[in-house]
Amino acid sequence: MNVPDTTRSTLKKKLWQRADEIGWVTLSPTEKSLHYEIWTRSPEIGGRLVRFMRQDQIRVYIKDTLLKDYTRFHLAGHERPFRVLGVPESTCIVETYSKPHGCRLHDGRVICWGRASDWKSILMALHERTFGKSRNIPHAAVLLYALGKFREVQVRAQVEDVAKKLGVSKVVWLE
């Protein structure tokens, strides 16, 4: 499927704007599936793509090509984690990470962040990125979009207990 660059760019921009409007990163998989279906059938998105691919390929193209990097892009920035942790914006970052997002600061503190639903990966990444490296400290996990069950005291206590056992100094919950 050869979608022209200008068409792909225009549709990606349009979809990212709509994703911003509906709070894409906080939607459940079921809600996202509904939007994929709507966009696949819409004349302005699916109707434009049907010129370049079969109808049954459009949903996958929207998901895997046009929206693939949306969530990663919106979670990547360190500004919000720094702000809630009281880390000055001017602090020197010596290494950055992805999957999950994070960074190592000049003083050895390692910070990781991502969706609260990915807490196991975030805590394990903190552990892996600091284990056996005496200069690296598992400083903080910032858990974003802590909605639903992640608002419950019992769930947060469990996550924080695991973090404590792994030597993580701080766990911050953000909705």
Side-chain angles (χ1 to χ4, degrees):
M1 61 190 106
N2 284 328
V3 178
D5 291 343
T6 54
T7 301
R8 182 175 41 257
S9 176
T10 300
L11 291 176
K12 181 177 179 177
K13 183 177 178 181
K14 185 176 295 202
L15 283 170
W16 282 38
Q17 182 178 21
R18 290 196 182 160
D20 286 343
E21 293 166 2
I22 61 175
W24 185 257
V25 294
T26 64
L27 297 181
S28 70
T30 304
E31 292 169 319
K32 288 179 180 179
S33 184
L34 174 66
H35 285 283
Y36 288 135
E37 191 62 33
I38 291 167
W39 294 330
T40 297
R41 296 180 187 279
S42 78
E44 63 183 333
I45 297 171
R48 290 186 67 188
L49 290 171
V50 78
R51 300 175 195 159
F52 310 104
M53 64 189 73
R54 296 188 326 260
Q55 182 69 37
D56 64 335
Q57 296 174 312
I58 294 174
R59 184 184 190 284
V60 172
Y61 183 80
I62 290 170
K63 181 178 183 283
D64 292 349
T65 303
L66 300 178
L67 282 173
K68 180 178 181 171
D69 295 327
Y70 178 85
T71 301
R72 191 174 315 147
F73 175 80
H74 287 313
L75 292 178
H78 67 272
E79 297 80 11
R80 189 172 182 204
F82 274 28
R83 188 172 50 252
V84 299
L85 292 168
V87 175
E89 183 63 33
S90 61
T91 301
C92 180
I93 296 172
V94 294
E95 190 172 8
T96 59
Y97 311 106
S98 61
K99 293 186 178 183
H101 298 291
C103 62
R104 181 169 51 90
L105 306 179
H106 68 92
D107 60 5
R109 290 180 294 167
V110 177
I111 302 167
C112 292
W113 62 89
R115 297 171 57 102
S117 59
D118 296 328
W119 68 270
K120 292 175 188 173
S121 297
I122 294 165
L123 293 180
M124 189 52 66
L126 263 169
H127 180 66
E128 290 175 348
R129 293 168 182 169
T130 58
F131 183 77
K133 300 172 185 167
S134 60
R135 178 131 163 74
N136 292 357
I137 304 156
H139 180 62
V142 179
L143 304 175
L144 308 167
Y145 308 108
L147 306 169
K149 74 177 187 177
F150 295 104
R151 288 183 173 153
E152 296 174 17
V153 173
Q154 179 103 4
V155 172
R156 288 187 178 195
Q158 177 187 19
V159 172
E160 291 169 8
D161 182 59
V162 172
K164 182 178 177 181
K165 289 175 179 170
L166 292 172
V168 178
S169 301
K170 295 180 184 179
V171 175
V172 177
W173 300 89
L174 298 176
E175 294 184 5

